[in-house]
């Protein structure tokens, strides 16, 4: 097989008769690429589905394969994909629910809109994984029934079901009101007590590091609690009880939960594990007093997380900007800033604050233009992608800070061909500059040819239809498969070159 065929298979300019030739000889890899085409006719869709089952599944996901195109006996995965999309036939679900293959029963159990008799059969399946697949999105009444299943895997699935009754989720979380489970994935296959070592040498072992059971299914119970704490339908009063749980992983989930009493958050703010306090710091439900307290917390990631709090007082943000490594994200509090606050941030003495507001892409023109004249490189990097900047402003940024701002200037949607060509001539330009230039719609041919000299930008540039035909043909023999694929997928590739690639 020609190594450039995967690219050719998705080339939008590939004539229909050549698509037919590719289908006739396609393996699963080429068939999967062909399934991405939006121009396949009905005959091609059916032929491709008959050629490759992975492609048939993909065609279902693309909405191109219909129920009448699929025989579940020969294309069971495609039929299951149609059922999962809500388009399969009820009789298919009945066949798969009785299939000797548990993986297929598990797949059908996860499908929506199953007939009641199929649901009842799957609910009584002997494989816990099958019942768990059904339980994860089961309606309220069925979820209440399955929460009492003797296997922890089924209970874990119910604990993650957002339609399960809240009181039932509380019971799964605390264990109160439910009979203990009888089995888990550990005691299903090991003699208890057993702790699964992290360096288990068995290649066929399905247990996770640390999985353990002494008869109480402790690691499985932890998994159920983890799912229930993540579930927004679990009642607040049950979640709050876990603020002192021995597991830091569970306390992190409590710290992230909104709507808890402030005294619970205050207790979590004293948690000995910094990750718990960092999770708490960005919780919108904590009050201002706790926000200010956490601003003084030197624990790993606490202050950086606090910077993402949506109601952060600006004086606290200013203090964090001066003392913590915030990176250069667009923070929620900056997004919510009033016009007066934006103006104050844009003229702040601390360049980090000016950088944070420069990340916005809806700044008034005067503020945008003032920040575009800033002398600090990190401020210019933040403002450089802002739409509306002129060629003169962008060139001035390059003249002032060169490679330090080049990659961001290249992402500006209004960067002209002159700006982009200037960037290709920057000394010590980072590879990212060339990648950005290669994908910019205003890149000129000289700029694109310059990008072909950079290994990272070469695959991006090879996809540009502005390249001359001769250059594209040469790129079909490139050592890098990504470059070959991009050239073969290029709609400007000559027709005779397309034909030459076909088997």
């Amino acid at each position: 097989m020609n190594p450039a065929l995967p690219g050719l298979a998705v080339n939008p300019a590939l004539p229909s008769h050549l698509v037919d030739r590719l289908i006739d000889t396609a393996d699963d890899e080429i068939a999967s690429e062909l399934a991405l085409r939006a121009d396949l006719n009905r005959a091609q869709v059916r032929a491709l589905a008959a050629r490759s089952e992975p492609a048939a599944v993909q065609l279902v996901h693309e909405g191109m394969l219909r129920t009448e195109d699929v025989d579940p006996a020969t294309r069971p995965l495609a039929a299951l994909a149609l059922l999962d999309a809500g388009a399969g036939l009820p009789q298919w679900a009945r066949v798969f629910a009785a299939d000797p293959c548990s993986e297929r029963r598990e797949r059908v159990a996860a499908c929506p809109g199953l007939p009641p008799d199929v649901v009842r059969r799957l609910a009584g399946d002997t494989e816990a994984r099958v019942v768990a697949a059904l339980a994860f999105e089961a309606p309220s009444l069925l979820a209440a029934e399955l929460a009492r299943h003797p296997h922890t895997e089924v209970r874990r699935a119910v604990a993650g079901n957002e339609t399960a009754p809240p009181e039932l989720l509380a019971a799964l979380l605390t264990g109160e009101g439910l009979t203990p489970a009888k089995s888990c994935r550990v005691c299903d296959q090991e003699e208890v007590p057993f702790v699964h070592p992290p360096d288990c040498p068995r290649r066929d072992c399905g247990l996770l590091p640390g999985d353990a059971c002494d008869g109480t299914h402790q690691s499985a119970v932890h998994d159920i609690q983890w799912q229930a704490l993540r579930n927004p339908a679990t009642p607040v009063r049950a979640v709050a009880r876990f603020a002192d749980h021995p597991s830091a992983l569970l306390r992190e989930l409590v710290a992230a939960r909104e709507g808890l009493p402030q005294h619970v958050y205050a207790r979590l703010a004293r948690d000995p594990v910094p990750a718990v306090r960092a999770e708490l710091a960005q919780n919108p439900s904590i009050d201002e007093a706790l926000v200010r307290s956490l601003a003084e917390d030197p624990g790993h990631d606490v202050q950086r997380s606090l910077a993402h709090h949506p109601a952060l007082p600006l004086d606290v943000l200013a203090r964090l900007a001066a003392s913590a490594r915030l990176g250069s994200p667009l923070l929620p509090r900056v997004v919510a800033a009033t016009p007066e606050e934006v103006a104050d941030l844009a003229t702040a003495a601390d360049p980090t604050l000016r950088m944070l507001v420069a990340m916005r892409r809806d700044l008034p023109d005067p503020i945008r233009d003032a920040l575009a004249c800033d002398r600090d490189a990190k401020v210019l990097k933040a403002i450089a992608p802002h739409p509306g900047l002129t060629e003169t402003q962008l060139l001035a940024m390059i003249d002032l800070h060169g490679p330090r701002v080049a990659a961001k200037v290249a992402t500006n949607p209004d960067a002209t061909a002159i700006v982009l060509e200037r960037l290709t001539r920057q000394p010590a330009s980072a590879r990212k500059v060339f990648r950005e230039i290669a994908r910019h719609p205003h890149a000129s041919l000289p700029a694109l040819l310059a990008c072909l000299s950079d290994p990272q930008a070469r695959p991006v540039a090879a996809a540009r239809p502005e390249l001359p035909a001769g250059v594209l043909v040469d790129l079909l023999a490139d050592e890098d498969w990504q470059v070959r694929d991009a050239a073969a997928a290029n709609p400007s590739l000559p027709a005779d070159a397309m034909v030459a690639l076909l088997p």
Side-chain angles (χ1 to χ4, degrees):
M1 183 185 77
N2 191 302
L5 281 182
L8 184 65
V10 296
N11 191 316
L14 188 67
S16 183
H17 70 282
L18 296 185
V19 172
D20 290 335
R21 283 181 57 182
L22 262 184
I23 292 174
D24 289 344
T25 58
D27 57 12
D28 284 343
E29 179 187 1
I30 301 301
S32 294
E33 297 294 339
L34 286 165
L36 297 172
R37 299 186 65 90
D39 61 349
L40 295 174
N41 59 43
R42 296 290 304 135
Q44 289 170 333
V45 167
R46 289 192 292 268
L48 190 55
R51 183 78 188 178
S52 165
E53 184 156 33
V57 172
Q58 198 169 337
L59 289 166
V60 171
H61 295 155
E62 298 292 333
M64 301 175 72
L65 199 62
R66 302 173 185 172
T67 304
E68 60 267 26
D69 299 329
V70 175
D71 179 359
T74 58
R75 287 289 180 259
L77 297 182
L80 283 166
L82 280 166
L83 284 168
D84 189 51
L89 301 178
Q91 56 265 35
W92 293 359
R94 295 185 178 94
V95 170
F96 286 122
D99 198 299
C101 175
S102 63
E103 290 183 3
R104 291 180 183 173
R105 300 200 306 275
E106 184 179 352
R107 289 278 301 274
V108 77
C111 295
L114 296 174
D117 60 306
V118 173
V119 170
R120 181 50 49 197
R121 175 166 191 151
L122 292 169
D125 201 282
T126 56
E127 288 283 345
R129 290 188 311 165
V130 175
V131 188
L134 182 71
F136 190 72
E137 294 188 3
S140 181
L141 289 177
L142 180 59
E145 176 186 332
L146 295 179
R148 292 166 174 79
H149 194 279
H151 203 286
T152 57
E153 288 298 297
V154 179
R155 297 188 181 200
R156 179 181 183 273
V158 177
N161 186 335
E162 296 186 14
T163 64
E167 294 304 320
L168 181 67
L169 294 172
L172 286 166
L173 178 58
T174 63
E176 297 170 358
L178 291 177
T179 56
K182 294 181 180 179
S183 56
C184 68
R185 64 174 177 264
V186 177
C187 59
D188 277 349
Q189 52 190 298
E190 302 291 346
E191 187 174 342
V192 297
F194 179 83
V195 178
H196 188 239
D199 55 348
C200 177
R202 294 179 297 177
R203 295 186 177 182
D204 61 343
C205 182
L207 297 178
L208 300 174
D211 275 353
C213 181
D214 59 5
T216 63
H217 322 298
Q218 61 265 40
S219 61
V221 169
H222 185 278
D223 288 348
I224 293 171
Q225 293 168 336
W226 187 83
Q227 282 284 15
L229 287 171
R230 288 180 70 245
N231 193 329
T234 302
V236 163
R237 65 182 183 278
V239 173
R241 292 171 56 180
F242 278 69
D244 293 317
H245 194 277
S247 169
L249 290 175
L250 298 186
R251 298 200 305 276
E252 280 187 53
L253 293 174
V254 179
R257 178 64 183 264
E258 299 180 30
L260 299 181
Q262 289 300 318
H263 69 85
V264 175
Y265 293 137
R267 188 157 73 248
L268 289 164
R270 299 189 297 272
D271 196 282
V273 179
V276 176
R277 305 197 304 275
E279 194 65 55
L280 176 70
Q282 54 188 329
N283 189 323
S285 292
I286 62 175
D287 61 19
E288 184 174 335
L290 200 50
V291 166
R292 293 185 178 279
S293 173
L294 289 167
E296 307 299 329
D297 190 327
H300 177 68
D301 257 5
V302 175
Q303 294 179 346
R304 191 169 66 86
S305 294
L306 184 64
H308 291 266
H309 193 283
L312 191 69
L314 284 184
D315 66 300
V316 176
L317 177 59
R319 193 157 71 250
L320 293 176
S323 61
R325 291 186 175 183
L326 304 182
S328 56
L330 181 56
L331 299 175
R333 181 63 180 87
V334 176
V335 173
T338 65
E340 294 76 16
E341 290 172 334
V342 167
D344 289 342
L345 289 169
T347 56
D350 186 345
T352 301
L353 288 175
R354 303 199 302 273
M355 174 200 72
L356 291 174
V357 76
M359 296 294 297
R360 287 182 53 153
R361 297 293 172 257
D362 59 349
L363 296 172
D365 292 354
I367 292 178
R368 177 203 63 201
D369 293 341
L371 290 169
C373 296
D374 204 286
R375 306 298 293 179
D376 191 281
K378 62 176 172 287
V379 178
L380 288 185
K381 285 175 65 176
I383 198 65
H386 199 295
L389 291 173
T390 66
E391 180 180 282
T392 300
Q393 288 172 313
L394 295 174
L395 291 174
M397 292 181 189
I398 300 170
D399 291 338
L400 182 60
H401 285 294
R404 297 180 67 184
V405 300
K408 292 299 184 182
V409 171
T411 65
N412 190 292
D414 299 314
T416 63
I418 291 174
V419 170
L420 298 173
E421 288 181 27
R422 172 81 70 85
L423 289 173
T424 65
R425 298 192 295 270
Q426 280 294 302
S429 290
R431 286 179 173 179
K432 190 175 180 181
V433 177
F434 288 102
R435 291 201 300 273
E436 297 297 344
I437 295 170
R439 61 172 62 97
H440 200 290
H442 297 160
S444 63
L445 181 57
L448 292 175
L449 293 176
C451 292
L452 288 174
S453 65
D454 179 81
Q456 299 297 317
R458 193 173 174 86
V460 182
R464 295 295 298 267
E466 298 90 342
L467 292 180
V471 173
L472 286 175
V473 171
D474 290 341
L475 291 173
L476 292 174
D478 199 271
E479 295 179 355
D480 186 338
W481 67 269
Q482 297 177 90
V483 176
R484 294 196 301 267
D485 272 9
N490 196 311
S492 294
L493 188 68
D496 57 347
M498 294 180 182
V499 174
L501 291 175
L502 291 170

